[in-house]
Amino acid sequence: MDFTTTTLLFFSLLISTIKALDLCSSQSHGSDDLSVIPIYGKCSPFNPPKPDSWINTIINMASKDPQRVKYLSSLVAQKSTKVPVASGQHVLNIGNYVVRAKLGTPGQLMFMVLDTSNDAAWVPCSGCTGCSSTIFTPNTSSTYASLECSVPQCTQVRGLSCPAAGSSNCLFNQSYGGDSIFSATLVKDSLSLANDVIPNFAFGCINSISGGSVPPQGLLGLGRGSMSLLSQSGSLYSGVFSYCLPSFKSYYFSGSLKLGPMGQPKAIRTTPLLRNPHRPSLYYVNLTGVSVGGVKVPIAHELLSFNPNTGSGTIIDSGTVITRFIEPIYAAIRDEFRTQVKGPFSTLGAFDSCFAATNEAVAPTITFHFTGLDLKLPMENSLIHSSAGTLACLAMAGAPNNVNSVLNVIANLQQQNHRILFDVANSRLGIARELCN
Ligand SMILES: *[C@@H]1O[C@H](CO)[C@@H](O)[C@H](O)[C@H]1NC(C)=O
Ligand SMILES: *[C@@H]1O[C@H](CO)[C@@H](O)[C@H](O)[C@H]1NC(C)=O
Ligand SMILES: *[C@@H]1O[C@H](CO)[C@@H](O)[C@H](O)[C@H]1NC(C)=O
């Protein structure tokens, strides 16, 4: 082989390698799986600046957790079963992961935020004031229709009776993240996810936003209430889905969302899902204890127990960044952790137990005990490191100071690189280690 041929061969190999590495261009993992993209990752369409360090990204993201936990706590504090799904409530303030969905016929591509603690879906629509540039354009879709105020779904999102005179569209207002409010019309159109089409999918078409911002290309609720994707897709997914969230560290990679029973892990340990009739969308599980190394942390049973009347207990959530325990539980875990790791301890963002990374070898494994299932956290799910690598921090926290929370939230930093199976049909949640970075 002469020099030129060798050079050409080298460059063509290089080009095919670069193509293979361009994971953002592949739409999905398997043909039926959807990519789950970290919103701060390279594959995110929102063009985030490349973070200076991933710990700063996490600290920044986790700084929005208090609002999220406050929102979730406000949900469970409401006892009425008639609470509307959407209107007048504070919804999550940040989307950590997005999936590609298409709305309408022909399909219009939207990167929608994945949210397991929400039921409804909504997107910004054409004519919207205050929305970002990517919007859904109903008038170019042949399958689009608006829904009238008299349809049963309207009562769920609106929480108000319809105007007395004549027929009218279903209009509703929703507050979002505490400082923004949007007005939307309930509409229906085809929703395409990977190779599936869900016809007549009901969602909110946002007409105006004031006071703040919302996920720029909308939100897809994966809760289990009546307006959620699972409920609206009926037998298509048989009430089953799973996801594997990639680490925030893996800037270039995406995880996967598998909808329906096909291709789900068969041998997976599960714990029962508990249902709070006042908040049917939330995925409660029975956390029965926490171990730090070989020590079962002393936690009073009452602090952990599920109570649908007060909303207390533990949920698994895709929208909170770091796991939050109610203060007495977190204090007990932290104290045991500090007993076993050599200090001194310092604080970094939301993390109050940072120590010299040189002591990391003695850091104990943290295990969450659920009914029928122990989640033994790999180190990457229990510790995070400062950008210089000199500090390691326990990657959990207590409920935010200003939130009178009764709820423990198992968040996405602790779920990353695990397959989390939501088997609503059989009322169980499965967890298995899976590297999806
Ligand atoms: C659809 O609506 C947009 C804005 O409301 C308008 O600019 C556009 O011309 C309309 N397109 C069609 C095909 O009607
Ligand atoms: C939504 O808010 C606007 C502005 O405050 C108000 O005029 C309208 O009546 C509200 N609509 C509903 C359905 O609550
Ligand atoms: C949760 O687990 C505890 C300990 O095994 C048990 O006593 C309790 O009944 C369980 N709660 C529910 C709601 O299943």
Side-chain angles (χ1 to χ4, degrees), residues 80-394:
S80 156
T81 46
K82 283 260 168 78
V83 175
V85 175
S87 69
Q89 290 168 27
H90 291 206
V91 189
L92 89 172
N93 55 78
I94 190 165
N96 300 312
Y97 294 98
V98 292
V99 292
R100 299 168 68 109
K102 284 185 176 168
L103 272 177
T105 311
Q108 300 174 35
L109 179 63
M110 309 293 290
F111 284 84
M112 299 171 83
V113 159
L114 190 90
D115 188 353
T116 55
S117 296
N118 236 293
D119 275 354
W122 35 261
V123 295
C125 282
S126 53
C128 170
T129 45
C131 290
S132 68
S133 55
T134 302
I135 45 164
F136 173 64
T137 312
N139 64 357
T140 60
S141 172
S142 60
T143 42
Y144 169 88
S146 56
L147 290 167
E148 300 222 323
C149 195
S150 55
V151 303
Q153 295 106 307
C154 189
T155 321
Q156 288 170 344
V157 293
R158 197 173 138 90
L160 291 172
S161 53
C162 296
S167 67
S168 60
N169 287 342
C170 175
L171 299 173
F172 65 95
N173 290 341
Q174 179 165 331
S175 66
Y176 173 83
D179 60 353
S180 55
I181 294 185
F182 65 76
S183 300
T185 310
L186 192 68
V187 302
K188 60 178 183 177
D189 206 337
S190 295
L191 171 69
S192 304
L193 293 166
N195 299 326
D196 299 325
V197 179
I198 299 145
N200 301 317
F201 181 73
F203 60 96
C205 200
I206 302 178
N207 308 316
S208 69
I209 299 173
S210 60
S213 60
V214 301
Q217 300 188 21
L219 175 137
L220 187 63
L222 288 178
R224 54 174 162 165
S226 55
M227 286 291 286
S228 74
L229 173 66
L230 280 190
S231 307
Q232 292 202 48
S233 56
S235 59
L236 179 62
Y237 299 134
S238 311
V240 179
F241 72 93
S242 72
Y243 58 62
C244 183
L245 305 176
S247 162
F248 296 128
K249 250 196 278 193
S250 63
Y251 180 67
Y252 291 96
F253 294 89
S254 56
S256 70
L257 173 67
K258 290 178 199 274
L259 294 160
M262 294 276 285
Q264 300 295 358
K266 294 283 175 289
I268 188 168
R269 287 165 309 146
T270 64
T271 186
L273 283 171
L274 307 177
R275 195 172 169 277
N276 179 346
H278 304 303
R279 273 292 148 203
S281 54
L282 299 179
Y283 292 105
Y284 277 90
V285 286
N286 195 14
L287 180 71
T288 58
V290 174
S291 291
V292 174
V295 177
K296 185 94 185 264
V297 177
I299 302 170
H301 177 67
E302 309 81 74
L303 292 176
L304 286 170
S305 60
F306 169 64
N307 180 341
N309 292 316
T310 60
S312 72
T314 303
I315 63 164
I316 189 148
D317 179 45
S318 68
T320 309
V321 178
I322 56 171
T323 292
R324 302 273 181 168
F325 292 104
I326 59 171
E327 196 48 46
I329 296 182
Y330 178 67
I333 295 170
R334 178 195 53 206
D335 291 351
E336 182 55 40
F337 183 83
R338 288 185 177 184
T339 304
Q340 295 184 34
V341 181
K342 213 163 164 291
F345 296 97
S346 56
T347 293
L348 195 60
F351 308 110
D352 69 0
S353 295
C354 300
F355 56 96
T358 46
N359 291 337
E360 203 179 312
V362 298
T365 299
I366 307 228
T367 307
F368 294 163
H369 304 284
F370 301 101
T371 302
L373 165 71
D374 284 345
L375 173 60
K376 204 173 185 178
L377 293 176
M379 280 299 157
E380 67 156 331
N381 299 93
S382 61
L383 296 182
I384 74 169
H385 296 92
S386 62
S387 37
T390 49
L391 287 177
C393 307
L394 175 63

Side-chain angles (χ1 to χ4, degrees), residues 14-25 42 252-253:
L14 188 68
I15 286 164
S16 53
T17 309
I18 289 169
K19 273 193 183 144
L21 286 174
D22 185 12
L23 297 169
C24 302
S25 65
K42 181 179 182 291
Y252 291 96
F253 294 89

